[in-house]
Amino acid sequence: MTALYDCKKASEFRVRTVSMATNITDSPLHRVSHCVVGPWGAWSECNSDCGVGSRERTRQVVVPPKSGGNPCPDLRQRRGCYADDPTCHSFKEVAKILPDAFKRYSRDPWRMTHTRPAVRTPSYCVYFRLKHVGPVCQLQTWSRQLLRDQLVCVECQAEASGANGRCLGDGLAGARTFWTAASLTGCQGSWVQEDLREDCTCPILSFLFV
């Protein structure tokens, strides 16, 4: 009788143990939860104003995974784009420059002059920070003034401006563009536009757009 009684007690204990384990697994604290995400948002604008760039979109997690549930899928997508802003041509233009000693007030920039007309069309000035200057620029006296990190003034006179009233290669604010010396093959480099002033004349020992 004692052995039968002990066997019954052990069976009741096992039943209670299994029941308690089941309750723990089914409780909210231990329930498996799979990741749930919301819908995709709108695509962003192209991150480039000119040429190849990218745009992206994102989505948010609505229900995070829990207790071994399925992980969240990608929350960000990216795809290529191509931008063609109206100002893009300015990045591609290469400015041609000469020292201001070259015939400032004539349609012929290659001939020196000692006379100036009483009335002239207003110019505008562009101030650039030189970022790169080619070694060939050391071959002529005037181009030796072109030094890296130097701030230079380049004047756009009416004779050099196009139909839109602007000089080729006058750049964009804060953008790195390129220049070349019109009278010295191989003297070239890059600069960044820091300022543009209308109705302006550059000081002595500056440069002209051609």
mmCIF file of all heavy atoms in Angstrom, residues 11 61 75 89 102 124 143 145-146 177:
data_model
loop_
_atom_site.group_PDB
_atom_site.id
_atom_site.type_symbol
_atom_site.label_atom_id
_atom_site.label_comp_id
_atom_site.label_asym_id
_atom_site.label_seq_id
_atom_site.Cartn_x
_atom_site.Cartn_y
_atom_site.Cartn_z
ATOM 1 N N SER A 11 2.800 10.828 -9.700
ATOM 2 C CA SER A 11 2.030 11.117 -10.916
ATOM 3 C C SER A 11 1.364 12.476 -10.820
ATOM 4 O O SER A 11 1.357 13.247 -11.775
ATOM 5 C CB SER A 11 0.982 10.006 -11.106
ATOM 6 O OG SER A 11 0.183 10.296 -12.223
ATOM 7 N N VAL A 61 9.112 50.281 -37.954
ATOM 8 C CA VAL A 61 8.705 49.051 -37.267
ATOM 9 C C VAL A 61 7.442 49.335 -36.457
ATOM 10 O O VAL A 61 7.406 50.252 -35.642
ATOM 11 C CB VAL A 61 9.821 48.541 -36.339
ATOM 12 C CG1 VAL A 61 9.345 47.337 -35.529
ATOM 13 C CG2 VAL A 61 11.056 48.173 -37.156
ATOM 14 N N LEU A 75 14.544 48.082 -43.711
ATOM 15 C CA LEU A 75 13.745 49.279 -43.413
ATOM 16 C C LEU A 75 14.125 50.447 -44.314
ATOM 17 O O LEU A 75 13.538 51.524 -44.213
ATOM 18 C CB LEU A 75 13.941 49.685 -41.945
ATOM 19 C CG LEU A 75 13.569 48.632 -40.907
ATOM 20 C CD1 LEU A 75 13.875 49.136 -39.501
ATOM 21 C CD2 LEU A 75 12.095 48.251 -41.027
ATOM 22 N N HIS A 89 25.045 73.020 -66.214
ATOM 23 C CA HIS A 89 26.042 73.354 -67.223
ATOM 24 C C HIS A 89 27.216 74.130 -66.629
ATOM 25 O O HIS A 89 28.334 74.077 -67.119
ATOM 26 C CB HIS A 89 25.403 74.165 -68.354
ATOM 27 C CG HIS A 89 24.970 75.528 -67.934
ATOM 28 N ND1 HIS A 89 23.784 75.760 -67.264
ATOM 29 C CD2 HIS A 89 25.573 76.742 -68.048
ATOM 30 C CE1 HIS A 89 23.665 77.048 -67.008
ATOM 31 N NE2 HIS A 89 24.729 77.670 -67.461
ATOM 32 N N PHE A 102 45.653 92.743 -70.085
ATOM 33 C CA PHE A 102 45.277 92.558 -71.478
ATOM 34 C C PHE A 102 44.063 93.409 -71.817
ATOM 35 O O PHE A 102 42.951 93.156 -71.355
ATOM 36 C CB PHE A 102 44.940 91.087 -71.751
ATOM 37 C CG PHE A 102 46.139 90.248 -72.056
ATOM 38 C CD1 PHE A 102 46.838 89.632 -71.024
ATOM 39 C CD2 PHE A 102 46.571 90.065 -73.350
ATOM 40 C CE1 PHE A 102 47.943 88.846 -71.290
ATOM 41 C CE2 PHE A 102 47.684 89.289 -73.621
ATOM 42 C CZ PHE A 102 48.375 88.670 -72.594
ATOM 43 N N TYR A 124 30.752 92.530 -63.800
ATOM 44 C CA TYR A 124 30.562 91.919 -62.484
ATOM 45 C C TYR A 124 31.821 91.142 -62.128
ATOM 46 O O TYR A 124 32.580 90.729 -63.004
ATOM 47 C CB TYR A 124 29.302 91.054 -62.422
ATOM 48 C CG TYR A 124 29.327 89.769 -63.223
ATOM 49 C CD1 TYR A 124 29.823 88.576 -62.683
ATOM 50 C CD2 TYR A 124 28.807 89.737 -64.520
ATOM 51 C CE1 TYR A 124 29.821 87.403 -63.406
ATOM 52 C CE2 TYR A 124 28.791 88.561 -65.249
ATOM 53 C CZ TYR A 124 29.294 87.393 -64.691
ATOM 54 O OH TYR A 124 29.282 86.227 -65.408
ATOM 55 N N SER A 143 51.089 84.491 -64.676
ATOM 56 C CA SER A 143 50.440 83.291 -64.144
ATOM 57 C C SER A 143 51.076 82.805 -62.852
ATOM 58 O O SER A 143 50.497 81.966 -62.155
ATOM 59 C CB SER A 143 50.453 82.172 -65.200
ATOM 60 O OG SER A 143 51.766 81.910 -65.638
ATOM 61 N N GLN A 145 51.198 84.513 -60.351
ATOM 62 C CA GLN A 145 50.336 85.078 -59.299
ATOM 63 C C GLN A 145 49.292 84.064 -58.836
ATOM 64 O O GLN A 145 48.683 84.243 -57.781
ATOM 65 C CB GLN A 145 49.606 86.318 -59.820
ATOM 66 C CG GLN A 145 50.495 87.429 -60.338
ATOM 67 C CD GLN A 145 49.653 88.514 -60.970
ATOM 68 O OE1 GLN A 145 48.685 88.989 -60.406
ATOM 69 N NE2 GLN A 145 50.026 88.914 -62.181
ATOM 70 N N LEU A 146 49.065 83.040 -59.633
ATOM 71 C CA LEU A 146 48.058 82.022 -59.317
ATOM 72 C C LEU A 146 48.650 81.006 -58.354
ATOM 73 O O LEU A 146 49.438 80.143 -58.749
ATOM 74 C CB LEU A 146 47.588 81.340 -60.604
ATOM 75 C CG LEU A 146 46.908 82.259 -61.621
ATOM 76 C CD1 LEU A 146 46.794 81.568 -62.971
ATOM 77 C CD2 LEU A 146 45.533 82.696 -61.121
ATOM 78 N N THR A 177 34.881 74.257 -59.585
ATOM 79 C CA THR A 177 34.868 74.246 -61.045
ATOM 80 C C THR A 177 36.300 74.444 -61.555
ATOM 81 O O THR A 177 37.243 74.502 -60.760
ATOM 82 C CB THR A 177 33.932 75.338 -61.595
ATOM 83 O OG1 THR A 177 34.267 76.600 -60.996
ATOM 84 C CG2 THR A 177 32.470 75.014 -61.274
#
